Amino acid sequence: GGIDFSALVVLLAIYFLRDVRLWGAGWAGREFYSFAWWSLWGGLLITISMQIDVLGVKVFTNAALSDELTGYYRAANLIARPAMFFAAILATSTLPFISFYSSGKEGAQYKAVIRRALKYATILLIPIPVTMLAIPGAILDIFFPSSYIAAAGSLRILGVAAAGGIYVVLLTRALQGIGRPLVAAISQVLGFGAQLVLFYVLVPRYGIIGAAWATASALLLSAAILSAAYLRTERERVGLSSLAALPALLAYGAVLYLFPHSSAGLTVLDVLVASVLYGLVLLLTRVVTTVDFTILYSSLPSIGVLRALEPRLRRIVAVLNRNPMPAGGSGSSDTNPTSRQSGG
C-alpha cells in the first residue's frame, strides 16, 4: 500500500509539473546551487541534530543497557522537541516578510521583523525550556511512568538544547530570508560535526547525560555562530534591551522550582501560577506593550467573544504598562516597530 501510494504521488507530481523546464532555470540553474541547495542543508541539519542523539545513545552505550537508556532518553527528547517545532512555525510565518522587505525598497524594515520574531520567540517559547530546567522530573511524571524519572537529568540539559535550538531555527530562516543561506548552512555543518565528535567522547562515559550535553553543545555552538554572523553582516548591536525578559523568566523559573509539584495536579497548578506571574512581570516591565498585545491578539481566531474582549484586555495591558489609554487611543508609546525589542 505504501509503495502504491508513493508511486501515485510521483505520477501526480510529474503530471502537475509537466510544464516546468527543470533543465532551464531549475536544477541546472546557478540559483539552485547558490541558494536552494544551502537552504536545504541549513534546514535539514537542524532536524537531524534533534533526532540523531537518540541513535547516538543506542550506538555508544553499553549493549546490555542500550535499549533501556534509549527509551529513557527518547522520552526526554519527545518533551524537548516541541519548543523547536513551535519556533519553526514562527520562523516559517515570518520568512516571507523578511524576504520581501529585504529585497525591496523598504530599507531596514526586515530587521524590525527579525527583531519582533526574536522577541516573541523569547517571551512565548523560552518558558518551555525554562520549565524543563526547573522541574524536569515533574514534567516526566505527567507523561510517563515513574521509572522514567531516570531521564530527568537529560531532560534538564535538553532544555538548554531547546533554548539554543529556538534561536538556531529563527536565525537560520532569517539569514535565508535576507539571501545568506550559506552562512546558515556552515553553522549547521559545524554544529553537527561537533555533535558527532561529542557523541563519541561523552556517551560511552556519561550515557544519556553525555548525549544531552552533546546535543546542547552543538545547538549552542550553531546559535553562537549564527548570532555572530547576523550581527556582523547586518551591523546590528546587542544592548541591555536584549535581556529585558530575563527578570520575568527568572521569576517564572523560581516559582516553578519552589512551588510544590509532587503530583500532576500540583504541577499543572504550578505552571499556571508561574505563567500568571510571568505575564504580569512582562507587562509591568513593559517588555510586552499594547502594540505587542495587538499583534499577538490579532493572530487568534476571529471569534465574537474574543473580539469583544479585546478592548478591555488592551486597557488592562495599558494600565499595567503604567501608560493609561486616552479615550479612543491605542495607549502605547511604542510606535516605533523596532523599539524595546528583546531577542536571543
Side-chain angles (χ1 to χ4, degrees):
I3 296 176
D4 295 338
F5 178 76
S6 300
L8 178 62
V9 170
V10 171
L11 291 174
L12 288 173
I14 293 173
Y15 174 77
F16 286 114
L17 296 175
R18 63 188 184 278
D19 294 328
V20 178
R21 305 301 184 201
L22 295 178
W23 54 87
W27 60 268
R30 182 173 178 270
E31 293 81 4
F32 176 84
Y33 297 101
S34 62
F35 189 90
W37 177 256
W38 298 116
S39 296
L40 169 66
W41 280 105
L44 181 62
L45 288 177
I46 296 174
T47 304
I48 293 176
S49 293
M50 286 299 290
Q51 301 288 340
I52 199 172
D53 50 353
V54 178
L55 181 61
V57 173
K58 179 68 176 177
V59 171
F60 291 111
T61 52
N62 184 284
L65 299 174
S66 64
D67 289 343
E68 182 180 5
L69 292 176
T70 301
Y72 292 150
Y73 189 84
R74 179 67 171 170
N77 181 274
L78 285 172
I79 294 174
R81 195 182 307 165
M84 292 182 63
F85 174 75
F86 293 136
I89 295 175
L90 177 60
T92 302
S93 64
T94 57
L95 178 61
F97 296 98
I98 296 171
S99 180
F100 174 76
Y101 288 134
S102 65
S103 60
K105 299 180 180 180
E106 286 77 11
Q109 192 168 351
Y110 70 93
K111 295 183 181 180
V113 176
I114 295 173
R115 293 191 195 106
R116 286 280 179 187
L118 292 171
K119 174 178 182 177
Y120 295 153
T122 299
I123 62 177
L124 296 176
L125 299 183
I126 291 300
I128 300 176
V130 171
T131 304
M132 298 181 224
L133 285 165
I135 50 172
I139 298 300
L140 284 165
D141 281 341
I142 293 177
F143 300 102
F144 298 97
S146 58
S147 60
Y148 279 78
I149 194 66
S154 60
L155 178 57
R156 177 172 279 129
I157 300 168
L158 286 178
V160 178
I166 288 171
Y167 295 115
V168 167
V169 172
L170 286 166
L171 290 171
T172 294
R173 294 305 183 201
L175 286 169
Q176 291 172 352
I178 62 179
R180 293 181 172 86
L182 178 59
V183 176
I186 290 174
S187 74
Q188 303 306 325
V189 170
L190 293 175
F192 183 66
Q195 186 179 26
L196 294 179
V197 172
L198 290 172
F199 279 155
Y200 180 77
V201 174
L202 297 178
V203 175
R205 178 175 295 183
Y206 301 107
I208 59 178
I209 298 294
W213 273 121
T215 300
S217 301
L219 289 171
L220 290 175
L221 174 62
S222 294
I225 296 172
L226 287 166
S227 299
Y230 175 74
L231 293 173
R232 180 176 180 180
T233 58
E234 299 304 309
R235 295 183 174 86
E236 289 279 67
R237 293 182 178 181
V238 177
L240 292 178
S241 61
S242 299
L243 303 176
L246 185 59
L249 289 168
L250 290 174
Y252 175 79
V255 171
L256 286 177
Y257 184 78
L258 297 174
F259 197 88
H261 41 265
S262 55
S263 66
L266 285 175
T267 299
V268 173
L269 181 60
D270 186 6
V271 173
L272 290 176
V273 172
S275 298
V276 171
L277 177 63
Y278 176 67
L280 288 174
V281 176
L282 287 176
L283 293 171
L284 290 171
T285 56
R286 299 183 184 178
V287 174
V288 174
T289 65
T290 51
V291 173
D292 298 312
F293 170 80
T294 301
I295 293 173
L296 296 173
Y297 203 86
S298 64
S299 65
L300 298 177
S302 183
I303 301 174
V305 175
L306 294 178
R307 295 302 109 190
L309 288 173
E310 183 176 1
R312 297 180 182 180
L313 293 175
R314 186 184 292 111
R315 280 194 291 271
I316 293 173
V317 172
V319 170
L320 291 173
N321 283 165
R322 300 182 300 282
N323 183 27
M325 295 175 61
S330 63
S332 175
S333 61
D334 188 11
T335 56
N336 185 347
T338 65
S339 66
R340 294 196 64 82
Q341 298 300 325
S342 118

